Each structure stands twice: as structure tokens, then as C-alpha cells.
Amino acid sequence: MNAAHAVEARGLAKHFGALKAVDGVTFDIAAGEIFGILGPNGSGKTTTIRMLCGLLTPTAGTATVAGSDVTTHPDRVKSAIGYMSQAFGLYGDLTAEENLRFYGGVYGLDRDLGARIAWAEDRMKLAELGGRLSAQLSGGQRQRLALGCSLLHRPQVLFLDEPTAGVDPAARRLFWTIIRGLADEGTTIIVTTHYMDEAERFDRLAFLSRGTLTAYGTPTEVKRTFGENMTLEDIFVQLQGSEA
Amino acid sequence: MNRGRLRAIVWKEFVQMRRDRATLGMMLGVPVMQLVLFGFAIRQEVRHLPTTVFDVSRTQESRLFVDRLIATGNFDLVAPSPDYAGAIRAIDTGRARAAIVIPEDYARRLKRNEPAHVQVLVDATDPTASQSAIGAAQLVGQATSVEILARRAGATVDPGATPLDVRVRPLYNPALKSVLFIVPGIIGMILSNILIVITAMAIVRERESGTLEQLIVTPLTRGEIMLGKIMPYVGVGLVQLTAVLVVGYFMFGVHVRGSVALIYLMALLFIIASLGLGLFISTLVTRQAAAIQVSFFFLLPNVLLSGFMFPREAMPKAAAWIGLLLPLTHFLQIMRGIVLKGVGIASLWPQMLALAGFSAAFITFAALRFHKSLE
């Protein structure tokens, strides 16, 4: 395998009975890249991510994440990745700091747990908020806390599933600044979204439609595939239209 | 199993438990409250029935017989009735629960060596409540008959010299106090009901809030998640057990005759079985409301079929068989055995095996289902 690729998917497929949720997708994601997976609801985005995280066993095909095969070594994959879901996965009745402490413990941090919590609070702009119950935080603060929780163990690959749903624009901008900083430091970031304005922030992206890859490349390349004057939004609408 | 990861999840459960005052109150307050309620309210032996007398005979003999009935402690005199209809009306209205009716010829027939008649009417709407009064009336009747026969034969009456002397000695609970029977039962009842509901809720809540999905992407194994969620509640169960034993001792004088250590050991098995059942329920449902409903499905048979309130010996075969499928049934036998009889493991091993079997089965079912339900 190519050591430079943080993620490699080869003919990855997941069928639920007759439903082909993902039907043979192939792509590579380079280390330190921000990679977007776009597509309408039901296009197979989440299923693809869940396979890459080792949550679902592929029906066919293979995938390696951070150098480990997701089917044969899901445990290694889990230690090497961070995952932030749409629901954020925070405990509302724990304080921000307790959430960090819990996830740090779950990822096996021990002696450097305190230092990593301090790092997360500083980097995610959560200082002063450590003692607040996470249920009392704003949407943006909760989002950054969830991001902090998923980064404590220094994952090589970070999965963000619809990360900015329901977060105000200022908080979104701050969030993307943090994400860009992480990518510059070498963390590979994989994002699913259906916000088109965010697609321009991706280094490369993949359009999924009915479980297959319909476009794949840099934003510029993708635009070229569909026609020079198309914006990503036009492409998205066109793909969604063909779905209906 | 990774110690650090397990510690993290157990720590988190305790922090959440401490913060959730309502549940904490329910876990610790409800057992003691139920014990006090049941302990004071449930009296299966009913004595001191308000009793009216319609004595037409009005003789020394008839008064003696009434006095004897009253001396048993089962009948307390209320205003006498002027006629038979009045006695019936007293019971109808609830002013009296029993009536003693002695006919006009009572003393005369006794003197003539003819059979005399006495009627004791008992309100038996509640069969359990009327039983001891009925028994007492029959006993007094028999004893008086023996005495009269003896006198006719010219002998003096010496109860020790009756031809057949049956002496009943109630073992284990000589005062026949139901509270001694109830308290060990309550322990099992509370442990199973509260623990089943709480575990079922604890997991479903994580599913609802999306944190369960988050846990699955971490290196936590399914076994660690299950064990980490269960372990704190094992502690809760043991605290509840201690609270009920202590309150039972000081408030109701329930002494443990057998080994306290054995109680804890058996309770541990029972707690694991209950938690396993709760865990299993949590894999069947996705909403907390549904978790409570399914839990209640198990709670009713627990009250009715386990022998907690109604003797299993009196049940139809089918009901008794179903009762055997409840861990509580076996645990009650164990608790009553240890607390009241003071017996040890030598006589309790069949029940212990049953509990161990339930624990293993529930945990296995839960583990299999849990695995699937996360996909």
C-alpha cells in the first residue's frame, strides 16, 4: 500500500438485503488532506464513513485507514481515528472537563491526560467553560467540545459526520479555522456535509449518489467534469434532481 | 478487558448517578420507603374483629362461652344486637365483622344433655382476614365440648390429661409475625424491580442521546461497555440490600439467623441476574418509555407469582411453573431460608444454582443481542 495515503478504499460495498447502500466505491485520501464526502440523504455517505470507522463490515471490497485494514483490524483502526457525529456524543449531565476526562480515559490516556485536556480546552477555545455542564453550552461550544474529545488521543484520521448542522455562522468559521490548522499539522480529515458553501473548503471531494461515486477530485476538477460554469451547488442540485 | 477504559466508564456512571438527584433518591429512598410501608401495612394475620353479640339465652353458660371467644383475642365486642336481623345488619354495614348468636335454649339444652347450638357469623369477604377468627371459633367450640363431655363423665377437666394432646410448635417464626416473612421478601422485590428498570433505562438513554454510537467508535469493546454500565449498579444493589437489612433490624426487629456473608453472596448472584435482564430489555427497545413498559411486564409476575405475597403452594400448577422462571422466586426462598431459618448453603444450593443459571443466561442473551443492536 501507499504509505502516503491515510485512507484507501477499493471497491467498497455494503448491501442491506436488496438495498445497495454503497455499491463499490474506490478512492484515496492523502495524509493531511481535508476530504469531503458530499451527497443527498440516502446516498451512502454515512454508510461509507461507518465502514471506514470499523462500525460496519463491508459486503465487498477493502479499505485501509491509517495503515490498518478495517475488516481484519477494526480495533487498530479505532485507536487511530477520531469520530465526531452529528449528535456530538456528549454527556449533557457531565461538565465539559468531565466529558474530556471520560473520553481521554476511554482512549487509554493516562499520564498525559491532564496535559491533553489543557491542550483541548485551549485549542478549542473552551477555557473558562471547563466547569459548565455540557448541556448548558451553546451549539458552537458543544461542537468544539465534541471535537476536542475526539482529538485527545492524537488520531491520524478524523471523521466529521455533518459537523456544522445547527451551528451559527461565527461558530462555523471558528470551527473551520481549527480544522484547517489540524490538517496543516498533518491530521487527515474526512467530512460529510450537504452544505455547499463548505465544499469549497475541501482539498478534494467525492460526490456520492445512490451508493456510487459520481464525481471525485479537487473542487476545480469536479466543476470541470460537470461543465465550466457550474458551481458546486448547481452540481449538487443536478445530482439530487436525477435522484428524484 | 482494559482496566483504564473500564475505570473511565465506571467513573462516568458514578458522576452521572450523583448528578441525577431524582434517580439517586429513587435508588436509595424507595427501598426504605417500601420497606416501611409494607412492613407496617401488610399484616396477613387479622385479629380483633369488631364483634356484635345477639344472646337470647342470657345465662351464665352463654356469657361464659362469649367470654371464651373474646379471650382468644380474635373478637372485640361492640354494641350488642337486639335481634338476629340487627346482627346481620351490623355486619352488612361494616359496624361489625363478626356476630355471635346464642339461641334461647342454649343453657337449657346443655343441662338436659342435648346438643346445644351456637352460631358465629364471620364476614369472609376477605378470606385471609377471616381465617383466624373462624379457626378460633371452632377451637373454642371443640375445647368447650370436651370440657362438657368430661364433666358429664364425672371427671375434672385437666387439659393435660386429654386422651389426644396435639401440640403445634410454629418453627422459625413462633410469634407468626408476617413482618418477619415480608422483610426478606421485600429485599428481593426491591432489588429486582429497581435494578431491572434502572439498567434498562441507563443503556437506552445513551442510545437516545447518541452517546452509545460515540462509544462504539472508541476502542471500548462491547464487553467493556456492558460491564462498565453494570458494575456501578451492582454497587447500588448492595447498598440497597444493606439499607433494607439495617432498617429491617432496627425498625422491625428482623434478625438474620443465618450468615450475613451468605446473604451478600446470594444477593450478588441475584443482582447480576436482574441487571442482565435489564440489559437484555435495553437491547429490545430504543426509547426510555418503552424500556419502562417492558420492565413492568416482568414486575407484575414478580409480585404475583414469586411467592412474595401469595403462597406458591396454593397456585395452580401452570402458575407455579411460570413462577419458577422468575429469579425472584428462587431468591425469596434463599432469603427466607437464611434470614428466618438460619440455614446454610447445604440446603440452598438448588436455588443458588438456579440463580447462577439465570445470571449466565441473561448476560449471554444480552451480550448477543447487544452486539447486534449496535450494528
Side-chain angles (χ1 to χ4, degrees), chain B residues 304-370:
Chain B
L304 299 178
L305 300 181
S306 67
F308 169 64
M309 289 190 78
F310 307 107
R312 288 176 37 75
E313 292 74 12
M315 289 175 194
K317 272 232 166 63
W321 269 100
I322 297 173
L324 281 180
L325 297 177
L326 299 168
L328 183 60
T329 305
H330 305 274
F331 186 63
L332 286 186
Q333 289 168 3
I334 290 176
M335 284 304 286
R336 285 170 179 158
I338 300 176
V339 174
L340 292 176
K341 299 187 185 173
V343 296
I345 207 156
S347 13
L348 297 174
W349 64 267
Q351 285 88 349
M352 187 182 134
L353 267 179
L355 282 190
F358 280 121
S359 301
F362 288 149
I363 296 281
T364 311
F365 282 146
L368 292 175
R369 287 271 329 169
F370 192 59

Side-chain angles (χ1 to χ4, degrees), chain A residues 148-164:
Chain A
C149 287
S150 63
L151 287 169
L152 288 169
H153 61 297
R154 301 186 179 86
Q156 298 172 49
V157 180
L158 176 65
F159 290 91
L160 305 171
D161 191 11
E162 308 270 356
T164 48

Side-chain angles (χ1 to χ4, degrees), chain A residues 33-187:
Chain A
E33 200 173 20
I34 301 183
F35 188 86
I37 299 179
L38 287 81
N41 289 329
S43 57
K45 289 180 307 217
T46 303
T47 307
T48 304
I49 282 214
R50 290 174 78 93
M51 284 191 282
L52 294 179
C53 292
L55 293 185
L56 284 176
T57 314
T59 311
T62 59
T64 57
V65 174
S68 301
D69 188 292
V70 295
T71 316
T72 55
H73 294 107
D75 44 333
R76 279 192 217 162
V77 170
K78 284 178 177 179
S79 301
I81 63 168
Y83 173 80
M84 190 182 112
S85 76
Q86 225 174 326
F88 293 160
L90 297 173
Y91 292 94
D93 50 353
L94 295 190
T95 64
E97 195 164 316
E98 284 165 346
N99 270 290
L100 288 165
R101 185 167 298 279
F102 169 64
Y103 280 111
V106 156
Y107 279 105
L109 296 184
D110 192 8
R111 257 168 297 135
D112 57 344
L113 180 60
R116 290 302 290 166
I117 290 175
W119 170 87
E121 286 179 338
D122 172 60
R123 189 73 182 266
M124 301 302 145
K125 311 269 184 270
L126 293 169
E128 324 284 308
L129 296 175
R132 291 263 289 277
L133 291 183
S134 69
Q136 295 166 353
L137 299 177
S138 73
Q141 287 163 345
R142 278 214 302 277
Q143 178 195 46
R144 296 198 301 280
L145 176 58
L147 182 62
C149 287
S150 63
L151 287 169
L152 288 169
H153 61 297
R154 301 186 179 86
Q156 298 172 49
V157 180
L158 176 65
F159 290 91
L160 305 171
D161 191 11
E162 308 270 356
T164 48
V167 173
D168 70 72
R172 265 164 81 176
R173 209 170 309 128
L174 174 56
F175 180 78
W176 282 113
T177 311
I178 294 172
I179 294 294
R180 177 50 72 188
L182 289 167
D184 290 346
E185 288 162 27
T187 308

Side-chain angles (χ1 to χ4, degrees), chain B residues 208-257:
Chain B
E208 266 183 1
S209 68
T211 47
L212 195 58
E213 188 193 358
Q214 191 71 41
L215 293 187
I216 306 162
V217 257
T218 69
L220 277 174
T221 64
R222 272 136 216 217
E224 284 162 358
I225 297 178
M226 275 176 53
L227 199 62
K229 299 261 354 164
I230 279 186
M231 274 171 48
Y233 294 104
V234 172
V236 169
L238 292 176
V239 170
Q240 290 177 329
L241 170 66
T242 310
V244 176
L245 282 178
V246 167
V247 175
Y249 178 83
F250 286 109
M251 207 172 240
F252 300 106
V254 178
H255 297 251
V256 177
R257 287 181 195 219

